[in-house]
């Protein structure tokens, strides 16, 4: 088994859609970014790549490449899932913590888990997403943006 850790953060930006875990939050302020700025998926992608020692999201999908402008991050997660499988691993589980003052994630957690599990082609029971506030501390607590920590376990598929 191999463990991976991923972290990402994005600032809120007016005039952008908010997408977390492939789910859109209508009416909420979105995040700045080259892609759709899905900070949750980006952290998970880095956890998966890290576990397989396959680099990081920036090396796979450079934000200087117009190909990835406004890309749907579920496409990135699907591509990385394929790459991890091709390297001989299967996804054991993914666990992520989303830190923000808003939006409230709880009502959408099940939907997000289902979406992420579907994109990674694993059972929903292998995907955990938790939402927390930062208790008004620091920039995330002041509502400047959203940060996400994610871990995953990969299992060698041929054992
Ligand atoms: Mg990012």
């Amino acid at each position: 088994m191999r463990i991976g850790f991923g972290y990402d953060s994005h600032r809120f930006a007016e005039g952008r859609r908010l997408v977390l875990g492939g789910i859109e939050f209508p009416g909420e302020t979105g995040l700045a970014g080259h892609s759709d700025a899905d900070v949750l998926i980006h952290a998970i992608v880095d956890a998966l790549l890290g576990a397989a020692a396959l680099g990081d999201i920036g090396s796979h999908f450079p934000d200087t490449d117009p190909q990835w402008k406004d890309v749907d991050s579920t496409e990135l997660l699907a591509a990385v899932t394929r790459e991890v499988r091709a390297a001989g691993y299967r996804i054991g589980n993914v666990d992520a913590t989303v830190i923000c003052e808003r939006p409230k994630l709880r009502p959408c957690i099940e939907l997000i888990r289902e979406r992420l599990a579907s994109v990674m082609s694993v059972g929903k029971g292998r995907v955990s997403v938790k939402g927390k506030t930062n208790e008004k501390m620091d920039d995330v607590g002041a509502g400047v943006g959203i940060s996400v920590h994610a871990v995953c376990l990969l299992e060698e598929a041929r054992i």
Side-chain angles (χ1 to χ4, degrees):
M1 277 196 295
R2 299 177 63 114
I3 190 168
F5 172 76
Y7 171 82
D8 197 23
S9 59
H10 282 251
R11 288 175 173 274
F12 287 116
E14 293 297 333
R16 300 263 307 174
R17 299 181 308 135
L18 179 63
V19 185
L20 293 172
I23 301 297
E24 190 165 346
F25 287 70
E28 294 286 344
T29 306
L31 297 166
H34 185 67
S35 65
D36 64 1
D38 191 327
V39 61
L40 172 53
I41 284 186
H42 295 179
I44 292 172
V45 162
D46 259 358
L48 292 170
L49 290 172
L54 287 171
D56 64 18
I57 192 169
S59 62
H60 287 253
F61 313 105
D63 64 8
T64 49
D65 187 338
Q67 183 182 352
W68 310 119
K69 177 100 178 88
D70 294 326
V71 70
D72 179 341
S73 292
T74 59
E75 290 178 28
L76 310 185
L77 180 57
V80 165
T81 299
R82 284 194 295 274
E83 192 170 344
V84 160
R85 290 219 167 90
Y89 300 105
R90 61 173 167 243
I91 296 170
N93 74 300
V94 171
D95 182 22
T97 299
V98 181
I99 309 167
C100 57
E101 300 302 311
R102 62 174 304 154
K104 289 288 173 225
L105 259 65
R106 193 179 300 275
C108 299
I109 288 284
E110 297 309 313
L111 199 57
I112 291 173
R113 289 178 61 212
E114 279 160 23
R115 181 83 176 110
L116 291 173
S118 157
V119 173
M120 292 185 282
S121 302
V122 298
K124 186 182 168 191
R126 293 182 185 272
V127 182
S128 163
V129 177
K130 291 108 61 199
K132 294 190 77 66
T133 73
N134 212 36
E135 296 286 337
K136 304 260 193 281
M137 293 184 291
D138 302 329
D139 282 346
V140 168
V144 172
I146 300 179
S147 62
V148 179
H149 301 259
V151 290
C152 73
L153 277 185
L154 297 183
E155 299 159 352
E156 290 191 24
R158 292 186 199 91
I159 290 177

